[in-house]
Amino acid sequence: MKHNKIRSIQSSQIGNVITVCGWIRTIRAQKSFSFIEINDGSTLSSLQIVADVSLPLYEDLLKKLSTGASISVTGELVESLGKGQRWELKAHAMHLFGTCPEDYPLQKKRHSFEFLRSLAHLRPRTNTQGAIARIRNALSIATHLFFQQRGFLYLHTPIITASDCEGAGKQFLVTTLDINKPPRHSDGNVNFTEDFFHKPAYLTVSGQLNAETFACAFSDVYTFGPTFRAENSNTSRHLAEFWMIEPEMAFADLDDNRECAEAYLRFLLRYVLDNCQEDLAFFERFIEKGLLNRLQQVAETEFAHLTYTQAIAILQKSEQSFAFPVEWGIDLQSEHERYLAETYCKKPLVLTDYPEKIKAFYMRENSDGKTVAAMDVLVPKIGEIMGGAQREERLDVLEKKLRLFGLHPEDYWWYMQLRSYGTVPHAGFGLGFERLVLFVTGMENIRDVIPFPRFPGHAEF
Amino acid sequence: MKHNKIRSIQSSQIGNVITVCGWIRTIRAQKSFSFIEINDGSTLSSLQIVADVSLPLYEDLLKKLSTGASISVTGELVESLGKGQRWELKAHAMHLFGTCPEDYPLQKKRHSFEFLRSLAHLRPRTNTQGAIARIRNALSIATHLFFQQRGFLYLHTPIITASDCEGAGKQFLVTTLDINKPPRHSDGNVNFTEDFFHKPAYLTVSGQLNAETFACAFSDVYTFGPTFRAENSNTSRHLAEFWMIEPEMAFADLDDNRECAEAYLRFLLRYVLDNCQEDLAFFERFIEKGLLNRLQQVAETEFAHLTYTQAIAILQKSEQSFAFPVEWGIDLQSEHERYLAETYCKKPLVLTDYPEKIKAFYMRENSDGKTVAAMDVLVPKIGEIMGGAQREERLDVLEKKLRLFGLHPEDYWWYMQLRSYGTVPHAGFGLGFERLVLFVTGMENIRDVIPFPRFPGHAEF
């Protein structure tokens, strides 16, 4: 079924006969002409079809058309006299694929995002969801472009795992046992040796440890895959299933990590500013005034850099009153992060060298003995958008840290062997993809920026 | 830590001073010089380092070097006089990051693929795994390039789902219930309303039904994500976790589907033939003689096309003796598929229009009332590599088919609504990514072409 995408229609085609296929957004019947807007998802804009109602072949057809119906139209592309569009299609022939009855939930009016979540199968046909999906697509491709240009290897880390990366984070159990009547040991406990993997297995919370094994062979790698948290968080910032990008670089320290994270984020924003202008203008107009300025600023400004210790001093000297008191050793709260990024630095900011106790076991111990080579990238409006670290590459220090964190070195035998056999300084970071989409679109609820959100009580569709 | 990747070294740099970082593959000490081969994973080739042992700074250092140790070397790139390499690095300065003790399992000798599977954290450092990982990377990027060029939208379909796409295929249960003591109803059955998603949830077997919802908004979409099968298959062809690419096109019939599948596969092969010559030459030499010819042939030849009914007649007329007898209605076996592709057509082949009863409920019923608009793409050596169909877009026929397959239409309310509201002809197919990697590399065991294979009893690393 040869046809043209609406996005691909160019002014050079004026006068040409083309065919488009799509779904009717609105239809307006006048005495001599019907004006039909159709959208095919390739772009935010609909194309206006002008149908001469006096042509006999339309008489029956036009009566069956309504919002949501699917049609193909062949006609001549002409310059539009109406405003708001540059061209329109003068219909020569029209075919109706599917009608759309009056109970179609997406009639031309505004619906709340919450209501639309209950229609995850139809909401892709709305302007907001259309624009989000195209931005997601662009950010995905930009991610691959950025890392491939730098010679990083794209890597698929496992989803099901018998180990827990961070020694923390509640995980989903994955099983083929009959949960009604699982096989049991004589002590009454479930006998996991009869499970699919012969032991308890979980959904991954991060591909990092696996990515480290590949960085220790290919130098620079990145993952882009789904990760999972079983925390019962019913907030606008948490999903049980979300996508994450995790680059990992060998022969790299925290400065290299910082450079890569900053270059990546700026590349992403430059890419959508250049390639998604129509969709971003939609978000600017309907979702967040000032969005384009905010993105432009982050794309063009060099990021500030402070150590955690400097940041604490700045917060303590500020005349801001914070709900959470500030002292060295605390985990920074969103109010602290936003003060630093929005008020103090007035631009994106990389914070580094956090207290050892509030960061994960695998982060490299600094020579001061109390901080580690961790980093968080903070941006205005969102706060933390990326987190990473130089990894502990010294076997003895890593083993000490594992014990300090109450973990069992024998569970990490393969991770430790990376430090026995040709260990290298290496570093990496993680970017939560849906947090990025919130940042780029100005949307407020993370459930609206992933096609089929999973959160407590919701795994529909 | 500024350094050059070995892949990026060009003859134009001869005479320049550069720094490389990597892991030692071999070291050969002669009277005046040590020859050290290092590899950084960016390419199959190692770079030869020539170190003048008379320089005092090397005296201690060289003693600590061994296979597997990690070093950085700064030196002058010079033309090589030895054979097998075009240039070598005359070392001026060398830094040892990590030594490698003698128990390093990857000493310079051949190891069985089976043995290396038990070292999934180290095997990426071997030539075969290195080449496979780079081919995977190239095939991933080629996939995005192909579909983006055609204006397809990349889509993340959900991993956790409360519905089962094909009404078949054993699935993994995903739960946060305490499997030792799950909450129970008064009848003794587990009370899933207390589970994370308030009902039983599973790992997806396919993103297709979700992709259809997006195709009915964006016209052309594709997924590229992990899928799962809980079948207890201990074969060289099955994984419990594997990656799949699933394009879905609106306003498309089976012919469009066939065109897209063929163009995609040819694009992939063209891409690796053009971009992965060194790695493919490795597979040609060590894994499968004739590989390059086989790939070239598929990349350049138009695929044959037969209907299932024609294929049955051909098989029946053939003088081949098959283990499984041939009659209309059977599910074709690998021996049948390979006869058709390798002996009869002598090239890749698309088989279409299979009996309704051996295909899934969502495939479009043909007007003969007994076949459906299904297709399988068969290639020499592998047999089926892609499978797809035009989807049933007629609400009444879909509902009839659901009942015929013993499924409950109410479980598919949202899938059926796509047919109520502006239904369109649409079609799509699926490609198992690891099967593709087997096809492209000539490797025999699917556990060797994914970084961390998951199969019965194995979710290590």
Side-chain angles (χ1 to χ4, degrees):
Chain A
M1 302 183 183
K2 276 224 158 189
H3 60 279
N4 295 63
K5 295 253 171 82
I6 292 174
R7 184 192 174 103
S8 70
I9 294 174
Q10 306 289 334
S11 59
S12 64
Q13 288 165 299
I14 294 236
N16 286 4
V17 172
I18 62 169
T19 299
V20 294
C21 298
W23 293 265
I24 296 176
R25 284 293 175 87
T26 61
I27 179 162
R28 203 156 40 87
Q30 293 191 348
K31 213 196 295 181
S32 322
F33 294 98
S34 269
F35 297 93
I36 305 163
E37 301 239 318
I38 74 166
N39 189 286
D40 66 2
S42 67
T43 173
L44 189 72
S45 306
S46 298
L47 179 67
Q48 177 155 287
I49 311 293
V50 184
D52 183 342
V53 298
S54 69
L55 290 178
L57 73 158
Y58 294 148
E59 225 178 294
D60 287 340
L61 185 59
L62 285 172
K63 284 184 209 144
K64 295 183 195 156
L65 300 188
S66 62
T67 296
S70 49
I71 57 174
S72 76
V73 183
T74 301
E76 185 188 342
L77 197 69
V78 297
E79 277 191 80
S80 176
L81 300 176
K83 40 178 190 171
Q85 69 249 342
R86 282 177 291 175
W87 36 65
E88 56 193 29
L89 196 65
K90 217 175 122 186
H92 297 169
M94 200 181 294
H95 175 73
L96 172 65
F97 292 112
T99 58
C100 194
E102 278 178 20
D103 65 353
Y104 184 49
L106 301 181
Q107 299 299 336
K108 177 112 188 148
K109 64 168 192 130
R110 288 267 188 118
H111 300 283
S112 75
F113 293 136
E114 197 175 354
F115 170 71
L116 289 173
R117 256 171 254 147
S118 69
L119 301 171
H121 61 309
L122 297 177
R123 71 174 185 171
R125 304 180 190 188
T126 65
N127 282 336
T128 308
Q129 285 297 322
I132 290 166
R134 286 184 296 269
I135 297 274
R136 278 185 75 100
N137 176 69
L139 291 169
S140 301
I141 300 310
T143 291
H144 287 298
L145 284 176
F146 176 80
F147 288 112
Q148 294 289 322
Q149 279 170 8
R150 289 195 166 208
F152 282 55
L153 182 104
Y154 176 42
L155 164 68
H156 296 115
T157 46
I159 311 304
I160 300 172
T161 174
S163 66
D164 169 359
C165 166
E166 308 198 3
K170 204 161 155 25
Q171 290 183 289
F172 289 101
L173 183 75
V174 174
T175 182
T176 54
L177 294 179
D178 177 356
I179 193 171
N180 267 305
K181 282 186 195 170
R184 292 183 188 271
H185 290 292
S186 53
D187 67 1
N189 281 322
V190 168
N191 178 2
F192 280 105
T193 66
E194 293 191 27
D195 203 351
F196 191 91
F197 296 108
H198 303 185
K199 59 168 75 170
Y202 303 92
L203 291 181
T204 185
V205 298
S206 161
Q208 179 201 316
L209 301 203
N210 300 93
E212 285 185 53
T213 70
F214 269 62
C216 291
F218 298 95
S219 303
D220 296 332
V221 302
Y222 67 107
T223 73
F224 188 175
T227 48
F228 305 85
R229 300 288 148 85
E231 271 124 36
N232 198 13
S233 301
N234 250 312
T235 82
S236 62
R237 294 270 146 176
H238 292 89
L239 289 167
E241 173 181 311
F242 58 98
W243 287 68
M244 191 136 79
I245 294 125
E246 295 181 283
E248 191 72 32
M249 293 162 275
F251 314 108
D253 59 19
L254 195 60
D255 285 341
D256 299 311
N257 211 20
R258 201 153 55 82
E259 185 279 327
C260 184
E262 178 173 340
Y264 173 41
L265 187 54
R266 290 157 61 122
F267 182 91
L268 290 174
L269 299 187
R270 193 70 268 151
Y271 188 87
V272 289
L273 285 165
D274 289 346
N275 291 281
C276 305
Q277 290 166 346
E278 190 185 29
D279 290 319
L280 289 180
F282 173 85
F283 290 113
E284 167 81 33
R285 184 164 169 208
F286 293 106
I287 303 297
E288 181 195 339
K289 306 275 171 248
L291 172 77
L292 287 170
N293 266 340
R294 182 165 62 74
L295 299 182
Q296 205 94 39
Q297 201 217 6
V298 177
E300 284 166 11
T301 319
E302 271 197 43
F303 294 8
H305 174 208
L306 293 171
T307 65
Y308 170 92
T309 304
Q310 290 170 324
I312 291 291
I314 289 161
L315 292 169
Q316 284 174 329
K317 268 184 245 154
S318 84
E319 290 174 8
Q320 195 84 6
S321 76
F322 295 111
F324 292 86
V326 175
E327 62 172 319
W328 200 96
I330 63 159
D331 220 346
L332 294 180
Q333 300 295 318
S334 180
E335 58 173 346
H336 307 135
E337 294 178 343
R338 294 190 64 168
Y339 173 83
L340 291 166
E342 292 166 18
T343 309
Y344 185 83
C345 294
K346 294 191 176 61
K347 59 180 178 174
L349 162 68
V350 189
L351 268 185
T352 62
D353 302 293
Y354 285 77
E356 174 178 62
K357 291 195 180 132
I358 60 172
K359 289 291 184 181
F361 75 88
Y362 50 71
M363 299 190 177
R364 192 178 196 275
E365 199 170 86
N366 286 329
S367 55
D368 63 13
K370 54 182 194 167
T371 60
V372 290
M375 71 170 195
D376 281 350
V377 180
L378 314 179
V379 289
K381 187 175 161 89
I382 293 276
E384 186 199 326
I385 194 165
M386 301 194 266
Q390 185 173 344
R391 319 305 184 186
E392 184 55 75
E393 89 280 14
R394 295 161 296 188
L395 183 63
D396 54 340
V397 184
L398 179 65
E399 192 170 345
K400 182 193 79 178
K401 286 292 287 288
L402 280 166
R403 293 190 200 282
L404 197 68
F405 278 70
L407 300 168
H408 304 294
E410 57 275 22
D411 292 344
Y412 293 82
W413 66 271
W414 54 273
Y415 189 67
M416 292 178 53
Q417 280 196 356
L418 299 180
R419 280 72 181 166
S420 306
Y421 301 128
T423 191
V424 293
H426 61 293
F429 61 90
L431 169 67
F433 191 64
E434 282 71 26
R435 293 263 174 105
L436 170 69
V437 182
L438 286 179
F439 179 67
V440 168
T441 59
M443 295 291 292
E444 295 283 345
N445 194 317
I446 204 162
R447 296 169 187 177
D448 295 326
V449 298
I450 188 167
F452 298 91
R454 270 68 179 110
F455 52 98
H458 293 269
E460 293 296 340
F461 303 104
Chain B
M1 303 182 183
K2 278 222 158 188
H3 59 279
N4 296 62
K5 296 251 171 83
I6 292 172
R7 184 192 174 101
S8 70
I9 294 174
Q10 307 290 334
S11 58
S12 63
Q13 288 164 297
I14 296 248
N16 286 3
V17 173
I18 62 169
T19 299
V20 294
C21 297
W23 292 265
I24 295 176
R25 285 291 176 87
T26 61
I27 180 162
R28 201 156 40 87
Q30 293 193 348
K31 213 196 294 182
S32 322
F33 295 97
S34 270
F35 298 92
I36 305 162
E37 301 239 319
I38 72 167
N39 189 286
D40 66 2
S42 66
T43 174
L44 187 73
S45 306
S46 298
L47 180 67
Q48 177 154 287
I49 311 293
V50 183
D52 182 343
V53 298
S54 68
L55 290 177
L57 73 159
Y58 294 147
E59 225 178 296
D60 287 342
L61 185 59
L62 285 173
K63 283 182 211 146
K64 296 182 194 156
L65 300 188
S66 62
T67 296
S70 49
I71 57 174
S72 78
V73 182
T74 301
E76 185 188 341
L77 198 68
V78 297
E79 277 191 80
S80 176
L81 301 176
K83 41 179 189 173
Q85 69 251 342
R86 282 176 290 175
W87 35 66
E88 56 193 27
L89 197 64
K90 216 175 122 188
H92 297 168
M94 200 183 294
H95 174 74
L96 172 65
F97 293 113
T99 57
C100 194
E102 278 178 18
D103 65 353
Y104 184 51
L106 301 181
Q107 298 301 337
K108 179 118 186 141
K109 65 167 190 131
R110 289 268 186 117
H111 301 283
S112 75
F113 293 137
E114 197 175 355
F115 169 71
L116 290 172
R117 258 172 252 146
S118 69
L119 301 172
H121 60 309
L122 298 176
R123 71 174 184 170
R125 305 181 190 186
T126 64
N127 281 337
T128 308
Q129 286 297 320
I132 290 167
R134 286 184 295 270
I135 297 274
R136 278 185 74 100
N137 177 70
L139 290 170
S140 300
I141 299 311
T143 292
H144 287 298
L145 283 177
F146 176 80
F147 288 112
Q148 294 289 322
Q149 279 170 7
R150 288 193 166 209
F152 282 56
L153 182 104
Y154 177 42
L155 164 68
H156 295 116
T157 46
I159 311 304
I160 300 172
T161 175
S163 66
D164 169 358
C165 167
E166 308 200 2
K170 203 160 157 24
Q171 291 184 289
F172 289 101
L173 182 75
V174 174
T175 183
T176 54
L177 294 179
D178 177 356
I179 193 170
N180 267 305
K181 283 185 192 171
R184 292 183 188 270
H185 292 294
S186 53
D187 66 2
N189 281 322
V190 168
N191 179 2
F192 280 105
T193 65
E194 293 190 27
D195 204 350
F196 191 92
F197 296 108
H198 303 183
K199 58 170 73 170
Y202 303 92
L203 291 181
T204 185
V205 298
S206 162
Q208 179 200 316
L209 301 204
N210 300 92
E212 285 185 51
T213 71
F214 269 63
C216 291
F218 298 95
S219 303
D220 295 332
V221 302
Y222 67 107
T223 73
F224 188 175
T227 49
F228 305 85
R229 299 288 149 83
E231 272 124 34
N232 198 13
S233 301
N234 250 314
T235 82
S236 62
R237 295 270 145 174
H238 293 88
L239 289 168
E241 173 182 311
F242 58 98
W243 287 68
M244 192 137 78
I245 294 126
E246 295 182 283
E248 191 72 31
M249 293 163 275
F251 313 108
D253 58 20
L254 195 61
D255 285 340
D256 299 310
N257 210 19
R258 201 153 55 81
E259 184 278 327
C260 184
E262 178 172 340
Y264 172 41
L265 187 55
R266 290 157 61 122
F267 183 90
L268 290 173
L269 299 187
R270 193 70 266 152
Y271 188 88
V272 290
L273 285 165
D274 289 345
N275 291 280
C276 305
Q277 290 166 345
E278 189 185 29
D279 290 319
L280 289 180
F282 173 85
F283 291 113
E284 167 81 33
R285 184 164 170 209
F286 293 107
I287 303 296
E288 181 196 339
K289 307 276 171 244
L291 172 76
L292 288 170
N293 265 343
R294 181 165 62 74
L295 300 183
Q296 205 95 40
Q297 199 215 8
V298 177
E300 284 165 11
T301 320
E302 271 197 43
F303 293 10
H305 174 207
L306 292 172
T307 65
Y308 170 91
T309 303
Q310 290 171 325
I312 290 292
I314 289 161
L315 291 169
Q316 284 174 331
K317 267 184 248 154
S318 84
E319 287 171 12
Q320 195 86 4
S321 76
F322 296 110
F324 294 85
V326 176
E327 63 173 317
W328 201 95
I330 63 159
D331 220 345
L332 295 180
Q333 301 296 317
S334 181
E335 58 173 345
H336 307 135
E337 294 177 344
R338 293 189 66 168
Y339 173 83
L340 291 167
E342 292 166 18
T343 309
Y344 185 82
C345 294
K346 294 191 177 58
K347 59 179 177 172
L349 162 69
V350 190
L351 267 186
T352 61
D353 303 293
Y354 284 77
E356 174 178 65
K357 289 192 181 134
I358 60 172
K359 289 291 184 182
F361 75 87
Y362 49 71
M363 299 191 176
R364 191 177 196 277
E365 199 170 87
N366 286 329
S367 55
D368 63 13
K370 53 182 196 168
T371 62
V372 290
M375 71 171 195
D376 281 349
V377 180
L378 313 180
V379 289
K381 185 174 162 90
I382 293 276
E384 186 200 327
I385 194 164
M386 303 195 267
Q390 185 172 346
R391 319 306 185 185
E392 184 54 75
E393 89 280 14
R394 294 160 298 186
L395 183 63
D396 54 340
V397 184
L398 180 65
E399 193 171 342
K400 183 192 79 178
K401 287 290 289 286
L402 280 165
R403 292 190 201 284
L404 197 68
F405 278 71
L407 301 168
H408 305 293
E410 57 275 22
D411 291 344
Y412 293 82
W413 65 271
W414 54 273
Y415 189 67
M416 292 180 55
Q417 280 196 356
L418 299 180
R419 280 73 182 168
S420 305
Y421 302 130
T423 191
V424 293
H426 61 293
F429 61 89
L431 170 67
F433 190 64
E434 283 71 26
R435 292 264 175 106
L436 171 69
V437 182
L438 286 179
F439 179 66
V440 169
T441 60
M443 294 290 293
E444 295 283 345
N445 194 317
I446 204 161
R447 298 170 186 176
D448 295 326
V449 298
I450 188 167
F452 299 91
R454 271 67 180 110
F455 52 99
H458 292 271
E460 292 296 338
F461 304 103

